[in-house]
Amino acid sequence: DETHVTPLMASSMMGHSQVVRCLLSKGAEVDLVDETGQSALELAVGISTRRYKGRHEIIQMLLNAGASIAGVDVDALAAEEEGLHDRLVEMLRAWQAALDRRREEEEKQAEIVARKARVALLRKKHREEQAAKKAAAAAAAALAANAEATAPAAQPDGAVLLRQALDF
């Protein structure tokens, strides 16, 4: 419809954890947004805990399904009524910390892979340069040998010819 509210968003807001579970198992997209730019996770987080008890379960399911936590203002949530959102804030901060650790690990792994690729590329370039040098040296040697083989024989000077004729 014109509000762009998906069944997953509506189920998340209403606390229908079984429906959320079913929609997620069928491949519902978790990061679609409504007309206000909110995702199912943001809508579930924004609903008061007094409205339903399955909120934490739904939020956990959405997070496990890969929902982005980027739009959730955890600090604002923590600033609301003291104690009301403590468990939720703790869960979201732990999730964010885990995402940060995973992102750091992935960045480290990507850096290692890139470094190994650069080393492999440099080694390949070095081998190619060495092969090119050997080929150039072999070509120069072949040219020199060919030049010697095809060079006209030196003509003996007149004195040598005379001596050879006299010795004959």
Side-chain angles (χ1 to χ4, degrees), residues 124-147:
K124 180 182 177 190
K125 184 178 177 182
H126 179 72
R127 284 191 304 270
E128 289 172 351
E129 287 172 354
Q130 293 302 313
K133 285 179 183 178
K134 285 181 182 178
L143 283 174
N146 188 30

Side-chain angles (χ1 to χ4, degrees), residues 57-79:
E57 179 186 4
I58 289 172
I59 291 170
Q60 190 64 56
M61 282 190 282
L62 292 169
L63 290 171
N64 290 340
S68 172
I69 195 170
V72 178
D73 189 350
V74 178
D75 294 329
L77 193 62

Side-chain angles (χ1 to χ4, degrees), residues 8-162:
L8 181 62
M9 291 176 195
S11 303
S12 297
M13 285 190 309
M14 301 307 292
H16 299 298
S17 60
Q18 294 299 330
V19 176
V20 170
R21 184 176 286 107
C22 178
L23 290 169
L24 290 173
S25 73
K26 299 295 181 189
E29 293 186 52
V30 293
D31 285 329
L32 294 178
V33 294
D34 66 6
E35 66 180 354
T36 66
Q38 292 186 304
S39 67
L41 177 63
E42 293 169 86
L43 293 169
V45 168
I47 302 301
S48 170
T49 54
R50 294 184 192 113
R51 287 188 56 189
Y52 65 85
K53 294 182 180 187
R55 174 183 186 187
H56 292 92
E57 179 186 4
I58 289 172
I59 291 170
Q60 190 64 56
M61 282 190 282
L62 292 169
L63 290 171
N64 290 340
S68 172
I69 195 170
V72 178
D73 189 350
V74 178
D75 294 329
L77 193 62
E80 290 181 15
E81 293 180 50
E82 193 167 323
L84 182 63
H85 303 295
D86 288 349
R87 183 171 162 231
L88 177 59
V89 168
E90 183 180 318
M91 179 176 63
L92 290 171
R93 284 194 173 140
W95 190 265
Q96 185 62 53
L99 287 176
D100 291 344
R101 283 190 303 275
R102 186 171 54 214
R103 186 177 313 112
E104 287 173 9
E105 184 60 33
E106 288 171 353
E107 287 172 0
K108 285 179 187 175
Q109 291 300 320
E111 191 175 308
I112 289 169
V113 168
R115 191 176 305 130
K116 287 180 179 179
R118 281 193 303 273
V119 168
L121 187 61
L122 289 172
R123 286 181 179 157
K124 180 182 177 190
K125 184 178 177 182
H126 179 72
R127 284 191 304 270
E128 289 172 351
E129 287 172 354
Q130 293 302 313
K133 285 179 183 178
K134 285 181 182 178
L143 283 174
N146 188 30
E148 283 181 24
T150 59
Q155 296 294 324
D157 64 10
V160 172
L161 286 175
L162 183 61

